[in-house]
Amino acid sequence: MNIHLTSGTFDFLFKMKKKHLAESMILMQNIDNAVLLHETTKSSVFNTPRSFQVLDSFGPLENRGYVVMNNIPVTEEERPLFEYRLKNIKNLFQNLKGFLAIRILQPLKSDTYIVLTLWQNEKAYMDWEHSASYDMFMNEVEMNLSFKTAQLLIGSSYITKYFIPEEK
């Protein structure tokens, strides 16, 4: 399974999504931009996508909710170690209230991995972010990813958050 992402204006991406109704696509936006996600076993319908292989997943990506993407740039030589450390991360999410799905995404043409999580809404994510479970998760991530951090990461990781607007 692959995921392809493209960015643009909401209106343009909305038209693109409507043009490909048979495809599994999710349109999301935040204050800065809009992103169209295409999950497929086939090639992308986008002209110049950011493409990823799904390494691990849990739950279906639904066309509703709140998406959080942890973007983590990793050096080429450290990819196997990084992927090994991410192997069971989905288990930390599966029983969380408001959690819907996760995708661990390996970049096909870049160096930035994405851990994509889908939540029922922003409140569900924020409730988790302010919980003891989140603290345990962050400790687990820190323990797993901090070893050899200087060699493992190319730059700083960052988070992007998006709303999936209701379709009318």
Side-chain angles (χ1 to χ4, degrees):
M1 183 70 64
N2 290 322
I3 286 186
H4 307 283
L5 301 172
T6 192
S7 301
T9 65
F10 183 85
D11 291 338
F12 175 77
L13 296 177
F14 181 78
K15 289 175 187 170
M16 182 182 290
K17 181 180 177 186
K18 290 298 179 194
K19 183 178 175 183
H20 300 283
L21 289 174
E23 299 293 331
S24 175
M25 294 188 172
I26 297 175
L27 178 57
M28 57 189 96
Q29 67 180 358
N30 63 22
I31 197 165
D32 296 320
N33 68 345
V35 172
L36 188 56
L37 178 150
H38 180 208
E39 186 173 40
T40 183
T41 56
K42 302 178 287 186
S43 59
S44 177
V45 298
F46 305 147
N47 290 332
T48 55
R50 290 174 285 146
S51 296
F52 301 85
Q53 178 183 353
V54 177
L55 294 179
D56 205 359
S57 67
F58 172 80
L61 289 180
E62 301 177 17
N63 208 2
R64 65 181 181 96
Y66 187 70
V67 175
V68 179
M69 293 187 204
N70 291 277
N71 301 268
I72 308 164
V74 178
T75 64
E76 182 70 32
E77 59 274 6
E78 295 299 334
R79 283 178 162 209
L81 177 60
F82 180 76
E83 290 172 17
Y84 174 78
R85 291 178 177 171
L86 283 178
K87 196 168 190 147
N88 295 312
I89 200 167
K90 72 179 181 185
N91 298 335
L92 298 172
F93 288 91
Q94 290 180 5
N95 296 316
L96 295 174
K97 183 178 178 187
F99 172 75
L100 300 174
I102 187 169
R103 297 292 183 275
I104 309 299
L105 306 178
Q106 175 193 55
L108 296 181
K109 294 182 180 177
S110 73
D111 55 23
T112 302
Y113 284 73
I114 296 178
V115 178
L116 181 151
T117 54
L118 176 64
W119 301 83
Q120 285 179 344
N121 51 43
E122 183 180 19
K123 182 181 182 329
Y125 173 76
M126 296 302 288
D127 287 349
W128 174 67
E129 193 176 56
H130 295 98
S131 71
S133 174
Y134 178 82
D135 292 338
M136 289 188 323
F137 169 77
M138 291 308 291
N139 287 336
E140 179 80 16
V141 168
E142 198 170 291
M143 280 181 11
N144 284 332
L145 300 181
S146 64
F147 177 70
K148 292 175 66 175
T149 296
Q151 294 87 9
L152 183 66
L153 300 180
I154 292 172
S156 298
S157 60
Y158 60 97
I159 296 175
T160 51
K161 300 174 183 178
Y162 299 93
F163 293 94
I164 300 173
E166 291 183 30
E167 293 191 21
K168 297 177 179 153

